[in-house]
Amino acid sequence: MKKPLTLILAVLALLGQSSLFAQKTSLKDAFKDKFLMGVAVNRYQINQSNKKETDLITSQFNALTAENDMKWMHMHPKKNTFNFEQAHKLLKLAKANNMFVVGHTLVWHSQLAPWVFKTVNGDTIDNLELTHRIEKHISTIVGKYKGKIDAWDVVNEALAEDGSYRKSLFFQIGGEAFIENAFRFAHAADPDAELYYNDYNLIDAKKRDGAIRIINSLKSKNIKIDGVGVQAHWSLDEPSIEDIETAIEMYAQTGVKVMFTELDISVLPSPWNSPTADVSVRFENNPAMDPYPNGLPDSVQDQLAKRYADIFKLFNKHSDKIGRVTFWGLHDGLSWKNNFPIRGRTDYTLLFDREMKPKKAFNAVIHTVKD
Ligand code: XIL
């Protein structure tokens, strides 16, 4: 009788220790010698509407990105109207807690304002006017936060899947020069801010080579670019660790820092043959595409924890090349993947569950540095 009891007590003590360990350990402390650990925050979190969320954000992370509030449609909704309220609040939260701030994002074809490409008569503007508008947008916003916002995603998603330029209106009107113009304007407005090119699927060879072409082209013209932002909206098995490693090494060889800027791991079936993050594409929901509405089975929870551990082991190995890893959302309940690319599903992408408790994946990530 004595032995099983001792065993049970020992197991209980171990379990108690590991949850205590999870509560006491923070991502930012565990990875302080490796890279920054960031999180994307939504409007309510920027407004500090929920103390529990604010506490989790400030205790676990040391870098902040606004999930939506600093996009063009919000910050510059009309030609002569700028809206700085949310950016100010984000900075307040960040500075009070000694956090690094990323401005996301200056030039992106999505979540843009309708006026941007139009004259007052409704015609499409020409390249000269587009350049003026991009300059005004960037110099006003970056200038306003000179010395305060640490880094900018200057251009977001300018590449198509084959590595050529995305045929957005920025490209159709401005040609590839819109990218270098954006970086020049950002640098002029705040010479000390770090400047990044950000995109999804940047591990895929064709798109990776496209991004390297952009980086090298900017560098050959002496235009400052400090980092490449790999969004990292990934799944349980794609992209492979080998391909992520190759990409990290190839990006680092160009001389820029590598950031993983929007990390989340979807456990749900993908309606696409290849994963993507094109926010304009959505599919219909059906039960087969939403297999875990009432909770994640342990087996998948374990798979997710292992996937996160494999990724962070690789990140740790290359921490000299990596500046920051940012999670795209605070907890599973708030992940954009619950509504993308299919609305109304239940996904389990992040390290904290819907009750804000650390998941197995959280412990697995922490253990990659503690072990
Ligand atoms: C997403 C947000 O998470 C959603 O709330 C919003 O509805 C759409 O945009 N690439 C990016 C991010 O650079 O800004 C996107 O964020 C996700 C894909």
Side-chain angles (χ1 to χ4, degrees):
M1 274 320 276
K2 216 176 161 194
K3 267 203 180 141
L5 190 68
T6 324
L7 195 68
I8 289 168
L9 284 176
V11 171
L12 282 178
L14 262 177
L15 284 175
Q17 255 178 23
S18 76
S19 73
L20 207 68
F21 171 69
Q23 278 162 26
K24 280 196 180 154
T25 313
S26 74
L27 294 166
K28 64 177 176 185
D29 288 342
F31 288 85
K32 67 176 188 307
D33 299 326
K34 305 277 185 201
F35 32 73
L36 293 172
M37 284 294 237
V39 63
V41 282
N42 64 27
R43 180 157 309 164
Y44 304 96
Q45 295 165 341
I46 291 173
N47 292 343
Q48 301 191 45
S49 306
N50 177 326
K51 184 169 183 315
K52 222 178 135 193
E53 287 183 14
T54 309
D55 289 347
L56 190 60
I57 290 164
T58 55
S59 62
Q60 291 289 337
F61 300 97
N62 49 20
L64 288 181
T65 306
E67 184 177 359
N68 287 299
D69 283 352
M70 290 181 66
K71 293 170 182 174
W72 194 313
M73 65 184 284
H74 296 298
M75 288 210 78
H76 193 177
K78 292 188 193 142
K79 195 168 179 207
N80 294 312
T81 307
F82 286 88
N83 177 3
F84 296 112
E85 201 185 327
Q86 290 305 108
H88 273 60
K89 287 185 188 166
L90 176 79
L91 262 180
K92 205 173 148 203
L93 173 64
K95 293 304 152 193
N97 294 284
N98 208 12
M99 300 167 105
F100 186 92
V101 184
V102 184
H104 174 79
T105 173
L106 294 168
V107 178
W108 187 26
H109 63 277
S110 200
Q111 291 178 281
L112 196 62
W115 63 269
V116 175
F117 300 118
K118 296 277 174 227
T119 66
V120 274
N121 302 325
D123 299 330
T124 302
I125 55 169
D126 62 15
N127 185 18
L128 192 65
E129 180 61 17
L130 177 67
T131 309
H132 283 147
R133 289 183 183 188
I134 292 176
E135 178 166 25
K136 170 122 187 266
H137 178 74
I138 292 180
S139 64
T140 306
I141 295 174
V142 177
K144 179 103 182 164
Y145 295 107
K146 183 171 181 236
K148 293 183 178 145
I149 288 187
D150 302 284
W152 290 93
D153 289 338
V154 178
V155 175
N156 198 26
E157 302 184 354
L159 289 168
E161 298 317 291
D162 65 359
S164 67
Y165 291 106
R166 177 189 286 273
K167 308 301 174 285
S168 69
L169 276 171
F170 283 116
F171 179 77
Q172 287 178 39
I173 301 170
E176 61 185 274
F178 89 85
I179 299 175
E180 56 187 75
N181 286 336
F183 277 84
R184 277 204 181 97
F185 300 146
H187 182 53
D190 186 352
D192 294 330
E194 292 198 356
L195 308 180
Y196 310 141
Y197 175 73
N198 196 59
D199 210 330
Y200 63 87
N201 284 357
L202 284 193
I203 304 301
D204 290 3
K206 286 183 184 157
K207 225 164 159 178
R208 177 198 67 205
D209 293 348
I212 290 174
R213 201 182 61 237
I214 290 177
I215 297 163
N216 287 337
S217 154
L218 292 174
K219 283 188 171 284
S220 72
K221 293 171 187 160
N222 273 327
I223 299 169
K224 181 173 137 94
I225 172 165
D226 302 284
V228 59
V230 176
Q231 287 186 7
H233 299 295
W234 291 341
S235 73
L236 285 174
D237 39 38
E238 277 182 64
S240 72
I241 295 295
E242 294 72 30
D243 288 350
I244 302 171
E245 180 160 40
T246 306
I248 293 173
E249 285 166 343
M250 289 180 71
Y251 287 131
Q253 268 167 21
T254 68
V256 299
K257 274 200 271 186
V258 187
M259 319 285 158
F260 292 90
T261 54
E262 304 184 14
L263 179 58
D264 48 30
I265 310 286
S266 177
V267 302
L268 300 182
S270 165
W272 281 300
N273 291 333
S274 71
T276 168
D278 188 331
V279 291
S280 64
V281 185
R282 284 188 201 263
F283 297 84
E284 290 302 309
N285 196 355
N286 72 62
M289 299 307 275
D290 188 19
Y292 316 119
N294 304 315
L296 195 61
D298 283 347
S299 60
V300 190
Q301 199 75 260
D302 290 345
Q303 261 179 284
L304 180 69
K306 177 167 185 312
R307 173 72 165 148
Y308 261 117
D310 290 345
I311 289 169
F312 274 86
K313 279 180 205 156
L314 181 75
F315 289 174
N316 293 338
K317 178 177 169 194
H318 293 287
S319 63
D320 58 326
K321 307 174 188 70
I322 298 174
R324 172 174 50 96
V325 178
T326 288
F327 291 85
W328 205 243
L330 181 63
H331 68 74
D332 287 348
L334 299 174
S335 170
W336 78 303
K337 296 296 290 183
N338 294 308
N339 291 301
F340 182 85
I342 299 176
R343 282 188 208 279
R345 297 197 296 175
T346 307
D347 209 337
Y348 300 83
T349 51
L350 298 164
L351 300 188
F352 297 96
D353 69 15
R354 285 169 165 74
E355 289 166 354
M356 285 190 257
K357 294 206 183 82
K359 294 157 64 177
K360 265 191 184 166
F362 174 92
N363 290 320
V365 165
I366 295 272
H367 275 294
T368 64
V369 267
K370 293 274 170 182
D371 288 346

